[in-house]
Amino acid sequence: MEKIRVAGIIPMEGGIALMHRVGVLKQKEYQDYYTFPGGGLEENETTEEGTIREIQEELGIKVRIVRKMYEIYSEKFQQREIFYLCEYIEGEFGTGNGPEFSNNPQYVNSGKYIPEIIEKEKLSEILLLPKEIKDKLLVDLT
């Protein structure tokens, strides 16, 4: 079965809601970077349902899927990655309680997960992965 990762692009408060990853030990080349909130699918979950669930777990907010924006294939991770434009509905940003925040030893080498909203003007200045999605988003935001 094909491996799929889903993620949300969420405009909020004049910026984009991202996950700041700090102290990532398992990746020598990327120990401090930003990424779009998301993750893998659970059994019998659609890509849209998975995106909504992952954002709720990671950021503590409810979103609505607006449309699929991007789809890429990651050779590095051998998976298809789908990025959805999402609309914030409700909830307090930064109150996620997913497994990344549980102090589970499984995540010890994954570093800290810090939800942040980055102003659109500052997106070009940060290390945002995957880079090809960052580049597409910067074009689409202008």
Side-chain angles (χ1 to χ4, degrees), residues 19 42 52-61 95-101:
M19 188 61 75
E42 293 183 351
I52 290 167
R53 176 187 51 75
E54 284 286 345
I55 291 167
Q56 174 84 47
E57 286 178 3
E58 293 186 6
L59 303 181
I61 60 173
T95 60
N97 60 0
E100 324 53 6
F101 304 109

Side-chain angles (χ1 to χ4, degrees), residues 40-58:
L41 298 178
E42 293 183 351
E43 193 174 345
N44 299 322
E45 197 172 46
T46 68
T47 56
E48 292 89 349
E49 289 167 344
T51 303
I52 290 167
R53 176 187 51 75
E54 284 286 345
I55 291 167
Q56 174 84 47
E57 286 178 3
E58 293 186 6

Side-chain angles (χ1 to χ4, degrees), residues 21-104:
R21 301 285 307 278
V22 181
V24 182
L25 301 177
K26 64 182 182 181
Q27 296 186 71
K28 301 242 181 290
E29 70 274 29
Y30 299 120
Q31 295 183 3
D32 185 340
Y33 65 93
Y34 292 83
T35 191
F36 299 94
L41 298 178
E42 293 183 351
E43 193 174 345
N44 299 322
E45 197 172 46
T46 68
T47 56
E48 292 89 349
E49 289 167 344
T51 303
I52 290 167
R53 176 187 51 75
E54 284 286 345
I55 291 167
Q56 174 84 47
E57 286 178 3
E58 293 186 6
L59 303 181
I61 60 173
K62 289 191 169 140
V63 297
R64 179 180 72 79
I65 301 288
V66 176
R67 64 182 164 89
K68 182 164 105 175
M69 280 191 74
Y70 312 114
E71 185 171 324
I72 60 172
Y73 186 80
S74 168
E75 289 294 337
K76 180 178 179 180
F77 297 109
Q78 300 287 299
Q79 67 185 357
R80 190 160 50 110
E81 297 187 51
I82 302 170
F83 296 82
Y84 287 98
L85 177 63
C86 299
E87 176 184 28
Y88 167 79
I89 297 174
E90 66 181 7
E92 185 181 339
F93 181 81
T95 60
N97 60 0
E100 324 53 6
F101 304 109
S102 67
N103 293 322
N104 181 327

